[in-house]
Amino acid sequence: MANEVVLLDFWPSMFGMRVRIALAEKGIKYEYKEEDLKNKSPLLLEMNPINKKIPVLIHNGKPVCESLIIVQYIDEVWNDKSPLLPSEPYQRAQARFWADFVDKKVYGASRKVWSTTGEEEEAGKKEFFEILKTLEVELGDKPYFGGETFGYVDLSFITFYSWFHAYEVLGNINIEAECPKIIAWAKRCLQKESVAKTLPDQKKVYEFVAQMRKRFVSE
Amino acid sequence: MASSATVTANQLIIMAELKLFRTWSSPFPLRVVWALDFKGIQYDTIFEDLSNKSSLLLQYNPIYKKVPVLVHNGKPLLESLVILEYIDETWKQTPLLPEDPYERATARFWAKFGDDKVLPSIWNVFIKQGKDQEEAIVTAQENLGFVERQLTGKKFFNGETIGFVDLAFGWLAKLLSLWEEVCGVTLIDHEKFPLLSEWIQNFADAPIIKESWPPRDKLITKYQALLEVYTSKEAPK
């Protein structure tokens, strides 16, 4: 049976972007289906009845859900090139830990930066920078979180970079001033074709987020 | 844990190089206990008092300051499900995850669903009251319905034997009935959730699980005290 790969996704989703980068890294041909999250397709509801969320990877008709689980699946199935996770168990555990840290911490804090105001927003900004600084310490002097090469942790976090401009304008913050190493790392990642071709234009993302903000904040 | 009387020199070295930081009652470190016990791996246990964390724990887990921490050859591993995958990759006997990538992805999905959705929704039933609790019950039972269907045609989530997802849901097998007793709400009854009810029995009866479970009366006391803290925080309705 031919390898049929379909990705249900939403263009500004930093979670969907992770899967797109993984697919690009492995050179996998796939059909991209854009979802309207206000009007979810029957296919999405059938393939992810539990969370009803994107991204969903459909491989030969079978759905895989949750971006990091999808990325690990892609790495295990297409294991002939561009490994995303390290091969040594302790390094794999470290990679899983840090990707999980990004999942648990970055989204929640960043959301407060663009969707709240006043005290809640200030607290969100403080938290956001604390998290980024923790990641800076983990990065250290390495070119990538994965060491010499771009890997799982880089992939899990770089997608948030496409939202940084939105955070900066809406939150009135300067990420490069606070976390220069993170910005340097992000620019390094953007030199990779899979990343550069996947990440949407930051201005386009800003417009999208600014629209969304109106639902939460009256200005 | 196995008796130390018959360990070989090799096992002594391994024992000295594998340490598990846990508390007497937390279900997350118990996942690691079960994984190691199922694989017949020897290890040292260090019991932590979370109100007075040891400097070693804070050194090994500065970010979350939590248990479990598994230290192998001096290197710390954090987050129970990450630790389980590490154990499975390092010691190949009695595999916890299936070999097939699609089945592995499915197992990871359900373990994550358990931690992200099922556990918080059930905890909400435990700590809330009145209308909030009624709403929490609806959400919890919806989540449990998804889990129930996963057991169709299977004794355990892993099939015939206990595996990754079973260990991830282990807290459900042992803590749920306890919480139900303490807060007076029944979430899982045999009629609505026949497969889950049977799984709970099968899992709880497994010798390794039975042997390692903290004493029930101590757990009841702990959760009764916790519930009192939450109910005293609630504003009068």
Side-chain angles (χ1 to χ4, degrees), chain A residues 11-12 17 162-163 166 200-210:
Chain A
W11 72 268
M17 285 175 217
S162 61
W163 284 56
D201 174 60
Q202 291 211 40
K203 288 211 174 68
K204 218 179 147 201
V205 173
Y206 162 72
E207 275 157 25
F208 166 76
V209 183

Side-chain angles (χ1 to χ4, degrees), chain A residues 48-51 53 62-66 69 72-73 76-77 88-90 92-94 96-98 100-101 103-105 134, chain B residues 61 63-64 72 75-79 82 85-86 89-90 99-106 108-110 112-113 116-117 146:
Chain A
N48 191 357
I50 291 159
N51 293 324
K53 287 202 223 169
K62 296 199 289 188
V64 185
C65 307
E66 294 298 316
I69 293 176
Q72 288 183 80
Y73 174 79
E76 287 175 15
V77 173
E88 194 271 323
Y90 186 73
R92 288 164 75 81
Q94 289 292 93
R96 287 186 175 121
F97 172 80
W98 284 104
D100 177 68
F101 175 84
D103 255 7
K104 276 194 178 60
K105 300 283 191 176
T134 302
Chain B
N61 191 356
I63 289 173
Y64 295 124
H72 188 205
K75 298 196 283 193
L77 292 130
L78 315 173
E79 295 300 297
V82 173
E85 294 224 33
Y86 174 79
E89 288 173 7
T90 306
E99 269 194 43
D100 171 69
Y102 188 76
E103 287 176 42
R104 291 162 75 82
T106 305
R108 287 176 181 135
F109 175 87
W110 285 102
K112 187 177 183 359
F113 181 71
D116 287 357
K117 297 279 164 77
F146 287 126

Side-chain angles (χ1 to χ4, degrees), chain A residues 191-207:
Chain A
Q191 283 168 16
K192 289 184 69 67
E193 199 182 340
S194 60
V195 178
K197 286 203 165 157
T198 296
L199 262 52
D201 174 60
Q202 291 211 40
K203 288 211 174 68
K204 218 179 147 201
V205 173
Y206 162 72
E207 275 157 25

Side-chain angles (χ1 to χ4, degrees), chain A residues 7 19 22-23 54-57 64-75, chain B residues 105:
Chain A
L7 176 63
V19 180
L23 291 165
I54 56 91
V56 179
L57 188 82
V64 185
C65 307
E66 294 298 316
S67 62
L68 291 179
I69 293 176
I70 299 171
V71 170
Q72 288 183 80
Y73 174 79
I74 289 170
D75 206 33

Side-chain angles (χ1 to χ4, degrees), chain A residues 1-19:
Chain A
M1 184 183 183
N3 249 337
E4 240 180 48
V5 182
V6 178
L7 176 63
L8 306 182
D9 200 351
F10 180 49
W11 72 268
S13 164
M14 62 283 272
F15 303 104
M17 285 175 217
R18 290 166 168 175
V19 180

Side-chain angles (χ1 to χ4, degrees), chain B residues 145-157 159 195-196:
Chain B
F146 287 126
V147 180
E148 167 87 5
R149 286 199 279 287
Q150 268 309 103
L151 283 166
T152 309
K154 295 191 286 193
K155 184 177 180 191
F156 297 107
F157 292 102
L195 300 177
L196 256 176

Side-chain angles (χ1 to χ4, degrees), chain A residues 105-114 124-125 127-128 131:
Chain A
K105 300 283 191 176
V106 179
Y107 183 73
S110 63
R111 201 185 157 87
K112 287 184 208 161
V113 172
W114 64 261
K125 288 189 217 177
E127 204 188 319
F128 180 69
I131 291 161

